């Protein structure tokens, strides 16, 4: 969590410098902070989805993807865990 705070602080410092240099009010950062978390979560979902799709494509091309294992209902594993 602390690493996340450092990254956000650095971004806000840079943003305040940019806003000041273009003559915009620095108070605009408060508006950006309000929606940045939602946008960040959306970017993360897109990134993870893209990584998963690329991994699946490579696995299928290399013939490492076994559909039987993927679509297995895992009932034997669930019974063994109980």
């Amino acid at each position: 969590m602390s690493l996340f705070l450092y990254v956000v602080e650095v971004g806000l410092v840079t943003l305040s410098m940019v806003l000041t240099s273009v003559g915009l009010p620095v108070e605009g950062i408060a508006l950006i902070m309000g929606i940045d978390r939602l946008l960040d979560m959306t970017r993360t979902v897109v990134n993870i989805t893209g990584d998963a799709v690329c991994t699946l494509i490579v696995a299928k091309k290399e013939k490492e993807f076994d559909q039987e294992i993927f679509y297995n209902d895992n009932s034997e594993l669930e019974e063994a865990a109980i």
Side-chain angles (χ1 to χ4, degrees):
M1 182 71 171
S2 61
L3 178 61
F4 171 74
L5 294 177
Y6 290 131
V7 171
V8 170
E9 288 176 7
V10 170
L12 292 177
V13 169
T14 305
L15 182 60
S16 67
M17 290 187 305
V18 169
L19 289 177
T20 304
S21 69
V22 295
L24 294 173
V26 180
E27 292 80 17
I29 293 176
L31 294 172
I32 294 171
M33 284 179 58
I35 61 169
D36 185 56
R37 182 69 175 149
L38 179 62
L39 294 174
D40 182 50
M41 289 188 290
T42 304
R43 286 187 298 262
T44 301
V45 166
V46 170
N47 187 18
I48 291 172
T49 303
D51 290 348
V53 169
C54 287
T55 302
L56 182 61
I57 290 170
V58 169
K60 282 190 170 190
K61 284 198 174 270
E62 296 292 323
K63 307 218 185 312
E64 293 291 326
F65 181 73
D66 189 354
Q67 288 185 345
E68 284 186 35
I69 293 173
F70 183 77
Y71 290 114
N72 188 4
D73 65 355
N74 293 327
S75 59
E76 298 103 21
L77 295 175
E78 290 173 3
E79 290 174 6
I82 297 175

